[in-house]
């Protein structure tokens, strides 16, 4: 309705159609303590409007938006991430929804070591990665002893073969573990007897060394005999001197 300065009135009536907007929503298939990858799938409803023709996922991490549905994405970091979806229907009406997802990644437990002979400590070097959060560790040495150190050193009370396990858990309660076989080599038990020792007469030394007393001793690879400070030496098993 319009009125002029002469009080003349004019009226125009038209019918206006209010187009329905969709209602945006989506779900993710993210599984905690795995990777930083997920797939978002729209569960948007038409809300009485026309069909949805456009999807726009904004990952809010500086990477390009994804215009397909479902949409897969890998975040560069753990922690709370924000995902925004804008849907557009055939009438050009839009709807926006923002959901949060908390990304957690499990640690990867691993360690290195060098086998030792009995009596020498084994140094375990922790090479685990955190995934998300900060790791704490538990070591079991294959006997009744354990440690919570990051990279412990342990001197086994006996030779043998042990299964060492490293358990890693981060501050997001994601876990991983690894087991490795550790060899603590036994030392051979030395012994020998000489026959009658007479001046200017060769003496035979009978080697009584054994590898059966201590576990995991293995076989004898070499021998080294020393017959005195100014005398000779030998590498034979049963030398004559």
């Amino acid at each position: 309705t319009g009125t002029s300065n002469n009080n003349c009135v004019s009226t125009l009536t038209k019918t206006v159609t209010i187009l329905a907007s969709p209602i945006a929503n989506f779900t993710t298939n993210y599984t905690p303590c795995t990777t930083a990858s997920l797939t978002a799938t729209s569960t948007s409803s038409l809300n009485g409007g026309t069909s949805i023709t456009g999807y726009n996922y904004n990952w809010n991490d500086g990477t390009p938006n994804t215009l397909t549905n479902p949409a897969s994405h890998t975040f560069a970091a753990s922690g709370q991430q924000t995902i925004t979806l804008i849907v557009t229907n055939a009438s050009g009406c839009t709807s926006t929804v923002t959901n949060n997802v908390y990304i957690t990644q499990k640690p990867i437990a691993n360690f290195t070591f060098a086998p030792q002979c009995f009596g020498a400590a084994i140094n375990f070097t922790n090479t685990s990665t955190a995934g998300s959060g900060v790791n704490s560790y538990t070591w079991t040495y294959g006997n009744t002893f354990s440690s919570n150190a990051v990279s412990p050193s342990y001197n086994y009370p006996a030779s043998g073969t042990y299964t060492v396990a490293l358990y890693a858990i981060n501050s997001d309660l994601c876990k991983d573990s690894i087991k490795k076989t550790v060899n603590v080599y036994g030392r051979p038990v030395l012994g020998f007897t000489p026959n009658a020792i007479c001046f200017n007469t060769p003496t035979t030394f009978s080697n009584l060394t054994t590898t059966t007393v201590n576990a995991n001793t293995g076989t004898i690879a070499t021998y080294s005999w020393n017959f005195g400070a100014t005398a000779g030496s030998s590498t034979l098993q049963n030398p004559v001197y």
Side-chain angles (χ1 to χ4, degrees), residues 191-193 205-209 223-228 232-239:
F192 68 91
T193 58
F205 294 86
S206 298
N207 195 330
L208 304 179
T209 299
Y223 294 96
S224 178
W225 295 80
N226 188 317
F227 299 115
S233 61
S234 176
T235 57
L236 297 177
Q237 181 177 354
N238 297 288

Side-chain angles (χ1 to χ4, degrees), residues 19-185:
L19 302 176
S21 295
I23 299 176
N25 204 0
F26 65 91
T27 60
T28 63
N29 68 341
Y30 182 68
T31 302
C33 296
T34 54
T35 66
S37 299
L38 57 78
T39 298
T41 303
S42 172
T43 57
S44 304
S45 59
L46 301 182
N47 193 32
T50 54
S51 61
I52 296 175
T53 58
Y55 300 90
N56 187 337
Y57 286 93
N58 185 345
W59 309 107
N60 296 293
D61 60 357
T63 60
N65 292 8
T66 302
L67 304 181
T68 58
N69 181 69
S72 297
H73 186 69
T74 299
F75 289 99
S78 301
Q80 182 167 289
Q81 304 293 341
T82 300
I83 305 171
T84 300
L85 170 62
I86 303 173
V87 294
T88 304
N89 66 16
S91 303
C93 299
T94 64
S95 178
T96 302
V97 64
T98 298
N99 292 333
N100 295 324
V101 59
Y102 194 85
I103 301 296
T104 58
Q105 299 180 73
K106 76 172 185 176
I108 304 299
N110 203 2
F111 64 94
T112 61
F113 66 95
Q116 298 290 343
C117 295
F118 171 68
I122 294 181
N123 297 317
F124 295 97
T125 301
N126 194 329
T127 59
S128 304
T129 58
S132 61
V134 179
N135 286 357
S136 60
Y137 301 100
T138 298
W139 298 78
T140 59
Y141 295 124
N143 49 23
T144 59
F145 295 92
S146 62
S147 173
N148 296 116
V150 175
S151 294
S153 179
Y154 183 65
N155 198 330
Y156 279 88
S159 60
T161 301
Y162 299 87
T163 299
V164 174
L166 170 60
Y167 301 89
I169 180 171
N170 63 23
S171 52
D172 290 321
L173 302 182
C174 302
K175 304 175 183 179
D176 191 36
S177 64
I178 188 171
K179 295 181 179 180
K180 294 186 179 183
T181 299
V182 174
N183 283 303
V184 180
Y185 297 120

